[in-house]
Amino acid sequence: MTAYILRRLLLIIPTLLIILLVNFAIVQSAPGGPVEQAIAHLQGIGGGAPGASAETVGGGSRATRGLDPKLLETIKQQYGFDKSAPERLWLMLTSYARLDFGNSFFRGAKVTDLILQKLPVTFSLGIWATLITYLVSIPLGIRKAVRHGSLFDAWSSTLIVIGYALPAFLFALLLIVLFAGGTSLNWFPVRGLVSENFAELSLLGKVADYFWHLVLPVGALVIGGFATLTLLTKNAFLNEITRQYVVTARAKGLSERRVLYGHVFRNAMLLVVAGIPQALITVFFAGSLLIEVIFSLDGLGRMSYEAAVSRDYPVVFGTLFIFTLFGLLIRLIGDLCYTLVDPRIDFDSRGH
């Protein structure tokens, strides 16, 4: 297992390198970069919007007409575009090797500081949404498998279908309408992760305030993930319950609980554990963006989106680096969870 972990950790380096290279090439070919936007803003063209600057600046001939060449060179130097693309790539890679992501073009701060500032919001949403999703879905899926075809299975399946069909952002809007002032009920806040007077609260008050603000956004994320996981758990258990070793265990007189949790659980949970990395990645880096926007949460998802729109390349690549690194580490943790569920699994002997 140690050799397997070391191999996977070493593979992270070339994987990160390839992803950064591909995205660097894509970004360089995309129109409307920071230099073009700055020029367009100076010329009063389109307010510096990416779309307008790309169309108007194009090759730079029309938009730069009338601009002082020294001013143009100053703008390029400010954003690092006075160097060639290979030079910019080499500088970026050497800086990233030291975990130095540079400074934001437009936010006036180091990218590392911005990431550390926004990370608690995204981390809070991802951890609690994933934890609650698994705490709800696994017991529910097991119960549905045990009581397959019963009335409980039928009505719970109806709820699951509704949850599967309802997007997280639409459910978030529904929660706001129902419980955040859209009706006579105004139970939960819809802005920020904590209240304005958070620093003045007691320790217990801070904990209560933190979870009070998380109820609606985490609830919206959970509804989008529990349906798939519940069905996966149910189908995995149903598939194992019909196997010969279960029939043999029952014939030996073992209790149904012992058969279910002593024999079936270990094999059925392998499929569920396999879905943990994808669930975490989805919640952390995909599902949280709209939720952060709807609930005015200033997290990594929202910051990376705004950086992409404004062509803030240091923030774009810095968040991409963090997202990719976390994603690879989460997948490694998912593999290690296999051995916790079933110690018989040995990755080293399989040559992975």
Side-chain angles (χ1 to χ4, degrees), residues 39-341:
I39 294 172
H41 181 72
L42 288 174
Q43 298 281 29
I45 301 172
S53 62
E55 179 184 353
T56 310
V57 175
S61 58
R62 190 167 69 177
T64 58
R65 193 174 300 159
L67 270 183
D68 186 348
K70 292 184 178 179
L71 176 60
L72 182 59
E73 288 301 318
T74 301
I75 294 174
K76 289 183 177 180
Q77 186 176 4
Q78 178 183 353
Y79 296 115
F81 280 80
D82 56 330
K83 302 178 179 64
S84 64
E87 287 180 292
R88 295 199 303 274
L89 175 61
W90 175 250
L91 289 173
M92 184 185 74
L93 293 178
T94 53
S95 297
Y96 278 31
R98 304 189 302 269
L99 295 181
D100 178 10
F101 303 132
N103 298 317
S104 169
F105 286 160
F106 308 115
R107 292 176 179 260
K110 293 184 64 175
V111 175
T112 305
D113 294 338
L114 290 172
I115 291 175
L116 293 176
Q117 179 185 348
K118 313 297 182 184
L119 187 60
V121 174
T122 303
F123 188 79
S124 294
L125 290 177
I127 287 296
W128 291 115
T130 305
L131 179 62
I132 294 174
T133 299
Y134 272 78
L135 288 177
V136 171
S137 300
I138 292 177
L140 180 59
I142 294 174
R143 186 171 178 82
K144 283 176 64 63
V146 173
R147 303 184 60 179
H148 179 62
S150 66
L151 183 61
F152 170 81
D153 185 37
W155 69 258
S156 59
S157 294
T158 303
L159 295 178
I160 289 172
V161 170
I162 295 173
Y164 184 80
L166 197 63
F169 76 91
L170 188 59
F171 189 69
L173 296 176
L174 178 62
L175 289 176
I176 291 174
V177 170
L178 293 177
F179 303 112
T183 60
S184 58
L185 302 178
N186 192 10
W187 293 348
F188 302 101
V190 291
R191 295 184 63 85
L193 193 62
V194 294
S195 300
E196 293 181 359
N197 63 337
F198 182 77
E200 304 170 5
L201 299 175
S202 63
L203 178 60
L204 185 60
K206 288 180 179 180
V207 173
D209 183 75
Y210 168 74
F211 284 108
W212 183 45
H213 281 75
L214 280 177
V215 170
L216 296 188
V218 169
L221 286 172
V222 168
I223 196 66
F226 95 99
T228 303
L229 184 58
T230 301
L231 292 178
L232 176 64
T233 304
K234 176 189 175 182
N235 292 334
F237 272 78
L238 282 178
N239 183 57
E240 291 298 323
I241 287 174
T242 58
R243 294 188 179 274
Q244 183 61 43
Y245 74 88
V246 176
V247 177
T248 304
R250 286 171 176 166
K252 290 181 178 180
L254 296 180
S255 65
E256 193 65 25
R257 184 179 183 85
R258 177 71 181 277
V259 171
L260 186 63
Y261 292 101
H263 295 76
V264 176
F265 184 83
R266 175 187 296 176
N267 295 321
M269 284 300 294
L270 289 176
L271 287 175
V272 179
V273 168
I276 291 179
Q278 188 60 45
L280 283 170
I281 292 169
T282 301
V283 172
F284 269 95
F285 311 134
S288 63
L289 171 59
L290 287 175
I291 299 301
E292 289 178 8
V293 172
I294 292 172
F295 290 98
S296 300
L297 296 170
D298 200 7
L300 280 179
R302 184 177 176 183
M303 183 181 72
S304 60
Y305 170 75
E306 292 174 351
V309 171
S310 63
R311 303 297 196 268
D312 195 347
Y313 292 157
V315 176
V316 170
F317 284 111
T319 52
L320 173 68
F321 183 91
I322 294 298
F323 285 170
T324 305
L325 180 61
F326 277 9
L328 293 172
L329 291 176
I330 288 171
R331 292 186 183 279
L332 175 58
I333 293 172
D335 287 347
L336 298 181
C337 288
Y338 276 117
T339 60
L340 296 178
V341 176

